[in-house]
Amino acid sequence: MEVPAMAHSITGPLSPCEGMMKDLSLDALQLCERDASKSQDGTISELEELPVPQNINISNITCDSFRICWDMEARGKERITHYFIDLNKKENKNSNKFKHKDVPTKLVAKAVPLPMTVRGHWFLSPRTEYTVAVQTASKQTDGDYAISDWSEIIEFCTADYSPVHLYQLMQKAEVIAGRMLRFSVFYRNQNKEYFDNAREMQENRMLQAVKDNSGSHGSPISGKLEGIYFSCNTEFNTGKPPQDSPYGRHRFEVQAVTLLSPGSNLYFGDFYCMYTAYHYVILVLAPKGSAGDEFCKQRLPALDIADNRFLTCKQDEKGDGSLVFHHAQDVILEVIYTEHVDLAVGTVAEISGHQLMSMSTVNAKKDPSCKTCNISVGR
């Protein structure tokens, strides 16, 4: 049975005691700002002990929900009216101790049949480690509660965004993508040492690397997908790649047809911003049947390579068989190509512009408050 995360009639924060009593009457799972084992005056009802939950089991984990069940002794079981669930983010030993710490979340639920689904995007984030413990409770006539001891503490980790969540994110990105501009080359900026190393140590090839943790916290490609970042955005007044870059003064350029063709599959990977007006879209470009293609098929929304709002490859209307390429004007595209690339298929040259470090997206954190690029699930 699924327990709803919040009753719609609750419109604002309640005091600790009010929150516990009003929320429980609505059969809803609620946030409680104090330890549920104490009443407002700090007393506890003295009655026969209630059974302690045993063998806690967590299953059906998504990015913002999980299913929980447990075993209990028969003794006192008929007196149970509520469950108290203590849900906390697992402590990050490397966290800054001077920053505001996450407040432990006490959840209150009517004693519904198990298993029970806990759902709530305001306190559950994707790809995050949590600890959970459970008490049984019996509501008394005076409004106080008799409680059991806490169960053992269980650890679990929430999941990544599903393809359904990413599709919702893609729809939001499509709204602001803007008109399509023609382009002819993909390019990758790095420092001189990067290209020297590719020539001398990697047989003249740029090799795939695991994607960093930039973008949405729930992105299923972060820390998992291997590929090479490319850009394709052009300056609106010249139609050519910009001369400035955050990643280095040396640029590898390759004709668009070398990487993007009808023999490739294209996937939507992410949509985010970094507390600025700029919005980024991550696309994954994978040769059909490659390891990267198989990885993406299970996790990302596929795009029609000839008809989408971000990056297209299609036959020229002139009918001469040539391909034309377009990119969205109003988002910054980051294209991850999932295979190695030989430097011989393109050219490396120094650019004339500046190295704008402030524009780097390496391990960039997404703005969780942006209404343009967030969806209504755990962040």
Side-chain angles (χ1 to χ4, degrees):
M1 174 178 180
E2 181 171 330
V3 177
M6 177 170 283
H8 294 297
S9 59
I10 301 298
T11 58
L14 303 172
S15 68
C17 190
E18 279 184 311
M20 181 172 292
M21 297 183 68
K22 291 186 179 180
D23 296 350
L24 295 179
S25 68
L26 293 166
D27 285 347
L29 214 58
Q30 298 297 331
L31 300 180
C32 180
E33 297 174 348
R34 62 181 175 86
D35 192 319
S37 65
K38 295 183 179 180
S39 63
Q40 194 168 18
D41 61 3
T43 61
I44 299 176
S45 298
E46 297 292 342
L47 292 173
E48 178 187 353
E49 289 185 359
L50 291 168
V52 179
Q54 305 286 340
N55 302 319
I56 309 296
N57 179 262
I58 304 292
S59 62
N60 292 50
I61 300 170
T62 72
C63 66
D64 65 345
S65 70
F66 62 92
R67 181 171 289 185
I68 186 169
C69 65
W70 55 83
D71 299 330
M72 286 184 292
E73 296 179 5
R75 171 185 53 83
K77 190 173 181 180
E78 72 284 350
R79 291 178 44 236
I80 297 171
T81 61
H82 295 86
Y83 304 134
F84 296 146
I85 301 175
D86 186 14
L87 180 68
N88 295 283
K89 284 187 178 180
K90 191 174 178 182
E91 183 180 0
N92 180 3
K93 295 180 180 179
N94 298 319
S95 63
N96 186 336
K97 298 300 182 183
F98 294 97
K99 288 184 178 180
H100 173 72
K101 297 182 71 174
D102 290 304
V103 177
T105 301
K106 301 296 187 295
L107 307 175
V108 182
K110 282 278 192 176
V112 296
L114 299 175
M116 173 177 66
T117 296
V118 178
R119 186 182 306 278
H121 71 83
W122 63 92
F123 59 80
L124 281 171
S125 298
R127 199 184 283 200
T128 302
E129 292 185 327
Y130 289 92
T131 62
V132 64
V134 186
Q135 283 178 315
T136 58
S138 176
K139 187 176 182 180
Q140 309 302 300
T141 56
D142 61 0
D144 201 359
Y145 293 86
I147 56 168
S148 71
D149 290 332
W150 284 106
S151 71
E152 61 180 326
I153 296 174
I154 299 297
E155 297 180 0
F156 72 99
C157 185
T158 47
D160 298 331
Y161 284 160
S162 70
V164 172
H165 296 131
L166 285 169
Y167 183 76
Q168 295 172 8
L169 202 59
M170 182 180 74
Q171 288 180 310
K172 294 182 76 75
E174 289 174 339
V175 171
I176 70 161
R179 68 190 183 98
M180 302 294 282
L181 300 180
R182 191 161 177 170
F183 77 100
S184 60
V185 298
F186 287 103
Y187 55 95
R188 174 173 171 80
N189 280 75
Q190 285 288 335
N191 53 47
K192 182 177 182 296
E193 290 72 23
Y194 171 86
F195 293 110
D196 288 343
N197 185 69
R199 293 186 187 97
E200 298 166 8
M201 308 299 295
Q202 298 170 179
E203 299 179 343
N204 207 46
R205 300 177 301 169
M206 295 185 293
L207 302 181
Q208 307 98 304
V210 176
K211 184 194 173 298
D212 63 10
N213 289 314
S214 61
S216 300
H217 192 53
S219 173
I221 60 178
S222 293
K224 296 178 182 178
L225 178 68
E226 293 188 349
I228 306 171
Y229 271 106
F230 283 93
S231 300
C232 64
N233 290 82
T234 56
E235 293 181 321
F236 71 92
N237 57 338
T238 67
K240 296 180 179 180
Q243 284 299 302
D244 299 321
S245 169
Y247 304 110
R249 294 290 303 278
H250 286 72
R251 173 174 292 168
F252 172 79
E253 284 191 8
V254 59
Q255 290 298 307
V257 69
T258 304
L259 304 185
L260 179 60
S261 71
S264 302
N265 280 331
L266 188 65
Y267 299 91
F268 175 85
D270 201 4
F271 177 44
Y272 70 100
C273 71
M274 304 180 297
Y275 303 88
T276 68
Y278 303 107
H279 275 87
Y280 296 81
V281 169
I282 297 180
L283 304 177
V284 182
L285 183 55
K288 290 180 180 178
S290 65
D293 189 35
E294 293 303 315
F295 177 94
C296 294
K297 279 181 181 177
Q298 309 300 320
R299 298 168 175 84
L300 305 180
L303 298 173
D304 182 340
I305 208 165
D307 184 19
N308 67 80
R309 297 296 306 277
F310 309 112
L311 181 69
T312 61
C313 162
K314 49 188 162 184
Q315 295 283 336
D316 194 332
E317 294 178 355
K318 295 177 181 178
D320 60 1
S322 62
L323 297 174
V324 293
F325 305 89
H326 291 83
H327 70 82
Q329 175 185 22
D330 294 336
V331 294
I332 300 175
L333 295 180
E334 299 180 297
V335 181
I336 301 177
Y337 186 70
T338 63
E339 297 295 294
H340 70 261
V341 176
D342 197 309
L343 292 178
V345 301
T347 59
V348 176
E350 187 171 359
I351 61 175
S352 59
H354 299 89
Q355 186 168 344
L356 305 175
M357 297 303 293
S358 62
M359 291 287 290
S360 173
T361 61
V362 176
N363 289 316
K365 299 304 179 185
K366 180 175 182 173
D367 178 0
S369 65
C370 179
K371 292 181 172 59
T372 300
C373 62
N374 282 292
I375 54 177
S376 296
V377 295
R379 293 166 189 159

